[in-house]
């Protein structure tokens, strides 16, 4: 056990007590004073907790000889400390203890009882100095006279209250101990005061220190009055502090060497950082400006935050790409089923990087319906390449400053989202996903899409300037991936900078595979279930897809599987004992687990009335089967179109009527039908907005059926744009439309001949079930679609092009 040598001045020994000890740095606690302490070391926290468990909440506070010692022993402490009582205790957000202690009496440390989990010592109380006499009284009054001058010299709030408390105190020693807490004395001088055994010595030392402080304060006021006419308020406060330091240094009051200032540390960090030469030059200029500003100046914190951003940005930091193509292919296949086009595009870029490491990253735009895996694909790409991943959502973004940042002249200015994402990533070559680029807004605050023109242009973004940063930052190494549901709302110049990769909807078989490989295992793991708890029969997932979801992607499917796992988890937790066999779910049980079926299976109409034709449409959520109805209105003359259709679709209807009117004689129509009858075209689901040219052939067929009084074949659907001269022009979304027809049970499809190349995107199992008829004119469409004699038979086998595909 460590043991201290007891001073010889003690002759009558008070009782010895054993208390927990808290060592402190650079401060001394005196009796009769209240002192706040921040406790962060593990042993000190344990000592405070031990004291809180005592009835009197007492502990010993003792000062370390060496402030750099993190685990001091008894020999590292001054021999005289202070017994104190804990008055308040709280916890800070960093996990430190905030303790308010009141000094009770001085104690002499005898020896250590134990050091773990905290330092506990045996200590003997030292008698309080009690000498009296004229000198004590004189020093007491002189000390109070100096205290009375403090309110005029110190602008600290509450100093008048402190003076009033000191005036009311009758104990000279208590006055001296409280006054010394206001002075900036060294630890050695404070400890020497604590160890004094006479009031005369304590009062004499405190009076000398306070007298010196009052003289310095008076000199500061004199300096302030002389410089008042030339220096504004904030600068005056700064220079006064500097002059006070010089005065204190001349008088020998400052202890030791000054620590490096924040400005010096910033300058050192900038000089040592790996920054481009231009950036380093500008940063050092800002440091020079900062050094001339007082800490209270408004611009001080603005410049400091700016320099911190400059130091945190990855100007030259890059992660190393994993160029093992086999590994990348494996990771992409593990995370996503299908979408071979996207995977091949990533592998192509990696192959280029292997041959040319300085090649610029591509700007990919993933376009497809919701739930097809566009956003999650970005994370897979980053994982495969070994790059950092950051995602920025652009949906509803209106303010251009969100991307470019605000100029530092504004209050609360911040860098833009691009620079903030790079700071978070810590590398200049992350995978940066710009989500929902088609939903960027535009108003009086600017046009974010225009800001993206520079960000997404490899020829310009190597010197991208954020308004806040105002320094060129190289974005050419960033791999940008944007996502969108449609290209229609994206500005053409912006779209021109991106390589569009379409992610169309999934077929039934693809959804089944995705659910089995990814969705069901993920939902099982999230619910804490295993195959020992629940098992699905093979026909359950197809049934959920057909009866509970109607989407191009798989988001609703995952939600339904999640609902299923949650209900299973609820049953298992409510059961009195764990089931011995797994719960088996069949499609007959789904109504019990998931409720009433949300959708009836899409089936083609068995018979179509005269004037009705089956069309195929593309929407942001995938393909849809669309029935176009038309009828003649005797006595009318106008063309009426209903069903919430857009301008383009209305124009297609007018073009269809005009073509049929111009071809009436060739088609065997009485031209007076057009003069004697109005025409009404309606497209059901009237609450849903519809537009686009691809319903042109459908409306022309429905009109021809109404005029010729011949029904349209119910097993046939069609899509295509028409021209006034009778040509059938190509349209988009072929894959989605064919998938929708396949779901509805329609197997005979009429398509524009120019779209023949697009059928390769359709899954092989779907393509085999369809009979695809390619046409070039409206006459061919009518010949194939109308159920009249001579049009019922399908094309001859000699005209077939591939499995299930016919060509006109």
């Amino acid at each position: 056990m460590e043991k201290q040598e007891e001073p010889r001045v003690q002759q009558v020994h008070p009782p010895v007590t054993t208390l927990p000890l808290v060592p402190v740095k650079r401060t001394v606690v005196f009796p009769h004073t209240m002192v706040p302490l921040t406790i962060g070391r593990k042993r000190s926290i344990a000592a405070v907790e031990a004291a809180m468990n005592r009835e009197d909440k007492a502990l010993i506070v003792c000062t370390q000889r060496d402030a750099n010692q993190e685990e001091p022993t008894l020999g590292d402490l001054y021999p005289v400390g202070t017994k104190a009582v804990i008055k308040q205790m709280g916890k800070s957000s960093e996990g430190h203890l905030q303790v308010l202690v009141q000094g009770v009496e001085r104690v002499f440390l005898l020896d250590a009882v134990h050091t773990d989990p905290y330092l506990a010592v045996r200590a003997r109380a030292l008698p309080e100095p009690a000498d009296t006499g004229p000198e004590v009284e004189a020093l007491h009054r002189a000390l109070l006279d100096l205290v009375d001058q403090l309110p005029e010299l110190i602008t600290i709030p509450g100093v008048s209250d402190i003076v009033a408390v000191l005036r009311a105190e009758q104990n000279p020693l208590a006055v001296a101990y409280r006054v010394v807490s206001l002075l900036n004395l060294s630890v050695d001088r404070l400890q020497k005061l604590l160890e004094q055994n006479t009031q005369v010595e304590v009062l004499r030392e405190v009076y000398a220190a306070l007298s010196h402080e009052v003289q310095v304060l008076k000199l500061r006021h004199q300096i302030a009055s002389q410089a008042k006419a030339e220096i504004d308020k904030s600068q005056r406060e700064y220079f006064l502090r500097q002059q006070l330091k010089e005065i204190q240094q001349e008088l020998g009051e400052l202890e030791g060497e000054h620590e490096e200032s924040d400005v010096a540390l910033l300058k050192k960090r900038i000089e040592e950082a790996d920054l481009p030469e231009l950036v380093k030059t500008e940063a050092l200029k800002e440091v020079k400006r900062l050094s001339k500003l007082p800490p209270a100046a408004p611009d001080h914190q603005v410049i400091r935050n700016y320099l911190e951003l400059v130091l945190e940005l990855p100007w030259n930091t890059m992660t190393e790409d994993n160029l093992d193509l086999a590994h990348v292919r494996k990771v992409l296949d593990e995370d996503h089923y299908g979408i071979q086009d996207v995977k091949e595009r990533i592998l192509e870029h990696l192959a280029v990087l292997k041959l040319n490491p300085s090649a610029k990253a591509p700007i990919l735009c993933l376009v497809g319906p919701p739930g097809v895996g566009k956003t999650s694909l970005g994370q897979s790409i980053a994982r495969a390449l070994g790059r950092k991943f950051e995602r920025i959502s652009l949906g509803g973004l209106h303010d251009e400053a969100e991307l470019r940042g605000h100029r530092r002249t504004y209050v609360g200015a911040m860098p833009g989202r691009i620079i903030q994402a790079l700071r978070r990533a810590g590398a200049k070559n992350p995978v940066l996903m710009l989500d929902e680029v088609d939903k960027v807004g535009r108003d009086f605050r600017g046009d974010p899409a225009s800001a993206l023109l520079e960000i997404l242009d490899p020829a310009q973004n190597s010197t991208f300037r954020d308004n806040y940063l105002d320094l060129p930052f190289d974005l050419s190494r960033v791999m940008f991936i944007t996502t969108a549901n449609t290209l229609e709302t994206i500005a053409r110049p912006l779209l021109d900078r991106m390589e569009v990769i379409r992610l169309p909807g999934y077929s039934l078989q693809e959804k089944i595979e995705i659910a089995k490989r990814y969705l069901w295992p993920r939902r099982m793991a999230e619910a804490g279930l295993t195959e020992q708890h629940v098992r699905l029969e093979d026909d359950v997932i197809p049934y959920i897809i057909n009866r509970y979801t109607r989407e191009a992607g798989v988001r609703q499917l995952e939600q339904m599987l999640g609902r299923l796992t949650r209900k299973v988890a609820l049953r298992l937790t409510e059961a009195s004992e764990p089931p011995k066999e797994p719960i088996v779910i069949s499609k007959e049980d789904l109504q019990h687990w998931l409720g009433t079926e949300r959708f009836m299976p899409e089936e083609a109409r068995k018979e179509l009335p005269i004037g009705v034709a089956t069309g195929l449409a593309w929407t942001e959520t995938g393909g849809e089967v669309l029935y176009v109805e038309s009828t003649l209105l005797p006595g009318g003359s106008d063309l009426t179109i209903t069903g919430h259709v857009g301008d383009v679709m209305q124009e297609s209807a007018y073009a269809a009527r005009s073509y049929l009117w111009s071809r009436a004689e060739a088609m065997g129509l009485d031209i007076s039908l057009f003069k004697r009858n109005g025409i009404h075209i309606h497209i059901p689901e009237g609450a849903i907005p519809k537009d686009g040219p691809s319903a042109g052939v459908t409306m022309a067929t429905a009109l021809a059926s109404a005029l010729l009084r011949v029904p349209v074949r119910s097993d046939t659907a069609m899509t295509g744009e028409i021209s006034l001269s009778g040509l059938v022009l190509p349209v988009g979304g072929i894959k989605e439309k064919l998938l929708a027809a396949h779901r509805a049970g329609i197997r005979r499809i009429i398509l524009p001949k120019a779209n023949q190349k697009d059928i390769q995107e359709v899954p092989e199992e779907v393509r085999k079930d369809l009979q695809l008829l390619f046409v070039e004119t409206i006459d061919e469409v009518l010949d194939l679609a109308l159920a009249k004699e001579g049009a019922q038979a399908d094309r001859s086998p000699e005209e077939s092009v591939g499995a299930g595909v016919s060509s006109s």
Side-chain angles (χ1 to χ4, degrees):
M1 289 289 183
E2 299 181 60
K3 189 171 183 179
Q4 303 273 18
E5 183 180 348
E6 194 167 358
R8 299 178 183 176
V9 295
Q10 292 181 241
Q11 298 183 8
V12 179
H13 296 294
V16 174
T17 58
T18 301
L19 291 173
L21 184 143
V22 174
V24 295
K25 306 175 181 180
R26 302 183 186 91
T27 188
V28 176
V29 177
F30 289 90
H32 307 289
T33 62
M34 300 275 281
V35 181
L37 300 175
T38 299
I39 310 297
R41 291 182 283 193
K42 189 182 296 184
R43 290 205 304 171
S44 298
I45 292 174
V48 171
E49 291 172 346
M52 290 297 293
N53 292 329
R54 291 173 56 90
E55 186 176 352
D56 57 358
K57 296 183 173 51
L59 76 167
I60 294 174
V61 181
C62 197
T63 307
Q64 297 178 203
R65 297 178 187 271
D66 182 5
N68 296 321
Q69 185 73 29
E70 287 302 319
E71 297 293 339
T73 61
L74 191 61
D76 299 321
L77 307 175
Y78 287 104
V80 176
T82 303
K83 177 183 176 182
V85 175
I86 299 175
K87 292 296 184 182
Q88 290 182 8
M89 187 181 78
K91 261 191 178 177
S92 68
S93 58
E94 293 83 8
H96 297 164
L97 295 182
Q98 303 289 343
V99 182
L100 182 66
V101 299
Q102 180 176 17
V104 177
E105 60 181 356
R106 301 181 304 151
V107 295
F108 179 79
L109 308 184
L110 297 175
D111 53 28
V113 177
H114 60 76
T115 60
D116 193 49
Y118 58 86
L119 180 59
V121 299
R122 291 173 64 250
R124 190 187 305 279
L126 293 177
E128 184 168 288
D131 52 310
T132 58
E135 189 175 1
V136 171
E137 186 175 351
L139 286 168
H140 183 201
R141 291 181 182 180
L143 190 60
L144 291 176
D145 289 341
L146 287 176
V147 167
D148 287 339
Q149 300 180 40
L150 291 179
E152 300 176 2
L153 302 173
I154 302 177
T155 58
I156 300 174
V159 68
S160 298
D161 297 334
I162 297 173
V163 171
V165 172
L166 293 174
R167 269 287 178 188
E169 180 60 60
Q170 300 298 318
N171 185 350
L173 193 65
V175 173
Y177 283 159
R178 290 174 184 173
V179 167
V180 81
S181 64
L182 300 175
L183 304 177
N184 186 21
L185 299 182
S186 67
V187 173
D188 290 337
R189 290 181 67 183
L190 292 173
Q191 184 66 30
K192 183 180 177 183
L193 275 173
L194 182 65
E195 295 178 3
Q196 291 292 347
N197 291 314
T198 63
Q199 290 195 81
V200 171
E201 292 297 329
V202 173
L203 290 168
R204 188 179 290 140
E205 185 74 22
V206 174
Y207 177 81
L210 183 58
S211 177
H212 166 73
E213 187 71 22
V214 168
Q215 291 176 20
V216 171
L217 290 173
K218 287 180 177 179
L219 183 58
R220 189 182 75 171
H221 277 268
Q222 182 182 354
I223 296 170
S225 63
Q226 292 173 351
K228 185 175 182 180
E230 302 173 6
I231 308 172
D232 61 32
K233 183 179 178 181
S234 61
Q235 289 175 320
R236 182 174 66 251
E237 186 179 349
Y238 173 73
F239 285 120
L240 287 175
R241 287 197 184 98
Q242 295 300 112
Q243 290 165 347
L244 179 59
K245 288 180 182 178
E246 293 296 328
I247 294 169
Q248 290 173 332
Q249 189 170 9
E250 288 294 327
L251 296 173
E253 184 190 22
L254 293 182
E255 48 177 296
E257 296 183 358
H258 295 295
E259 294 183 1
E260 288 185 286
S261 67
D262 287 347
V263 176
L265 287 173
L266 274 172
K267 184 177 181 181
K268 184 179 179 182
R269 287 174 60 193
I270 290 170
E271 289 174 343
E272 294 177 353
D274 183 18
L275 301 176
E277 195 60 36
L278 173 62
V279 175
K280 183 174 290 187
T281 301
E282 292 296 325
L284 290 175
K285 285 182 183 178
E286 293 294 330
V287 170
K288 190 175 181 180
R289 282 186 59 206
L290 184 66
S291 65
K292 296 178 181 178
L293 291 174
D299 283 348
H300 185 277
Q301 193 59 39
V302 173
I303 297 175
R304 183 180 177 83
N305 291 341
Y306 173 78
L307 292 173
E308 291 287 352
L309 172 68
V310 170
L311 287 168
E312 290 175 10
L313 284 176
W315 298 95
N316 292 308
T317 305
M318 295 177 63
T319 54
E320 186 176 351
D321 287 333
N322 185 344
L323 300 178
D324 183 356
L325 301 186
H327 166 76
V328 175
R329 191 185 295 274
K330 178 183 177 185
V331 170
L332 294 176
D333 287 340
E334 284 176 356
D335 292 349
H336 290 82
Y337 179 80
I339 54 174
Q340 295 303 323
D341 289 346
V342 185
K343 296 175 182 177
E344 287 300 319
R345 183 64 192 86
I346 301 303
L347 292 169
E348 289 167 10
H349 172 61
L350 282 187
V352 171
L353 280 180
K354 259 193 168 183
L355 300 177
N356 179 17
S358 62
K360 293 179 180 178
I363 312 294
L364 303 182
C365 181
L366 307 180
V367 182
V372 295
K374 300 184 297 296
T375 303
S376 61
L377 184 60
Q379 295 174 321
S380 297
I381 292 171
R383 187 166 78 91
L385 296 176
R387 292 193 182 190
K388 304 282 187 174
F389 176 79
E390 287 293 331
R391 174 182 168 272
I392 299 175
S393 178
L394 301 181
L397 190 70
H398 286 267
D399 193 352
E400 180 184 339
E402 289 286 329
L403 294 174
R404 285 192 180 275
H406 305 79
R407 298 196 181 278
R408 282 185 287 153
T409 52
Y410 294 103
V411 176
M414 294 176 62
R417 294 193 187 185
I418 301 296
I419 293 297
Q420 290 187 46
L422 289 167
R423 175 166 61 177
R424 291 193 301 268
K428 64 183 292 187
N429 64 334
V431 173
L432 192 55
M433 173 158 280
L434 305 179
D435 227 351
E436 310 293 355
V437 72
D438 57 325
K439 297 175 180 61
V440 173
R442 178 181 180 179
D443 61 13
F444 64 93
R445 289 166 290 188
D447 183 6
S450 298
L452 287 173
L453 293 178
E454 179 188 2
I455 295 169
L456 298 181
D457 190 343
Q460 300 180 42
N461 62 13
S462 58
T463 56
F464 171 70
R465 279 184 180 265
D466 182 271
N467 288 333
Y468 181 88
L469 186 64
D470 198 25
L471 291 170
F473 194 94
D474 184 7
L475 299 181
S476 63
R477 296 295 178 184
V478 179
M479 185 173 187
F480 288 101
I481 300 176
T482 64
T483 71
N485 295 130
T486 177
L487 299 178
E488 301 303 320
T489 56
I490 302 177
R492 296 300 104 179
L494 179 59
L495 187 61
D496 184 56
R497 284 160 168 78
M498 301 184 290
E499 299 182 27
V500 177
I501 299 178
R502 297 187 179 273
L503 276 74
Y506 297 112
S507 66
L508 174 64
Q509 191 58 41
E510 287 174 328
K511 288 183 180 181
I512 294 171
E513 289 297 323
I514 291 170
K516 289 181 177 178
R517 296 187 188 190
Y518 308 106
L519 306 184
W520 179 246
R522 183 161 65 219
R523 285 300 187 174
M524 289 265 285
E526 289 175 1
L529 301 175
T530 65
E531 293 182 357
Q532 298 177 350
H533 297 119
V534 61
R535 183 170 58 82
L536 298 180
E537 290 189 352
D538 293 340
D539 55 357
V540 168
I541 290 178
Y543 197 82
I544 292 176
I545 294 170
N546 290 325
R547 299 299 180 96
Y548 290 91
T549 67
R550 180 175 289 176
E551 57 176 343
V554 291
R555 186 168 291 150
Q556 292 180 21
L557 174 58
E558 185 172 9
Q559 291 171 359
M560 287 297 162
L561 294 176
R563 184 184 299 180
L564 204 56
T565 56
R566 289 194 297 272
K567 288 187 177 293
V568 171
L570 179 62
R571 174 176 290 189
L572 291 175
T573 52
E574 287 183 341
S576 57
E577 58 182 27
K580 297 179 181 178
E581 297 291 331
I583 298 173
V584 179
I585 299 177
S586 64
K587 71 176 184 180
E588 289 78 13
D589 303 327
L590 284 178
Q591 203 157 9
H592 167 72
W593 292 99
L594 299 180
T596 307
E597 297 172 0
R598 297 173 59 190
F599 303 104
M600 293 304 292
E602 293 178 337
E603 293 181 358
R605 299 189 188 183
K606 301 303 181 186
E607 291 185 6
L608 292 180
I610 290 174
V612 178
T614 307
L616 299 174
W618 177 91
T619 68
E620 291 185 12
T621 59
E624 295 287 344
V625 174
L626 205 65
Y627 289 97
V628 176
E629 302 174 344
S630 65
T631 187
L632 301 181
L633 305 175
S637 61
D638 295 332
L639 173 62
T640 304
I641 308 168
T642 56
H644 205 334
V645 298
D647 292 341
V648 176
M649 191 172 282
Q650 291 185 42
E651 291 170 359
S652 296
Y654 282 108
R657 184 186 68 165
S658 299
Y659 175 78
L660 293 175
W661 198 336
S662 67
R663 295 275 297 160
E665 186 176 345
M667 295 173 61
L669 284 171
D670 183 359
I671 199 168
S672 63
L673 282 173
F674 294 93
K675 299 178 181 179
R676 298 195 315 268
N677 297 277
I679 298 174
H680 185 175
I681 297 177
H682 177 68
I683 303 173
E685 296 186 348
I688 300 174
K690 294 171 278 291
D691 201 9
S694 61
V697 296
T698 313
M699 288 191 283
T701 304
L703 271 178
S705 171
L707 292 167
L708 294 170
R709 311 304 297 168
V710 177
V712 180
R713 291 183 56 158
S714 61
D715 63 343
T716 302
M718 62 201 74
T719 185
E721 180 181 358
I722 63 171
S723 72
L724 201 57
S725 59
L727 297 178
V728 177
L729 305 178
V731 292
I734 295 299
K735 177 180 177 181
E736 291 87 347
K737 293 174 180 178
L738 293 183
L739 289 176
H742 189 265
R743 283 196 303 267
I746 301 172
R747 296 295 182 262
R748 190 169 181 267
I749 315 294
I750 298 175
L751 298 172
K753 190 167 186 179
N755 284 120
Q756 190 167 354
K757 61 184 184 306
D758 298 323
I759 66 168
Q760 300 303 322
E761 300 175 3
V762 182
E764 181 68 24
E765 65 272 12
V766 174
R767 208 161 61 228
K768 287 180 178 179
D769 285 350
L770 300 178
Q771 182 185 12
L772 305 180
L773 307 170
F774 296 96
V775 297
E776 294 179 313
T777 65
I778 298 176
D779 291 340
E780 292 178 78
V781 175
L782 300 179
D783 182 52
L784 292 169
L786 297 178
K788 58 185 178 181
E789 187 178 353
Q792 298 283 2
D794 293 333
R795 303 292 179 88
S796 62
E798 289 78 12
E799 295 175 307
S800 183
V801 182
V805 180
S806 298
S807 175
S808 59

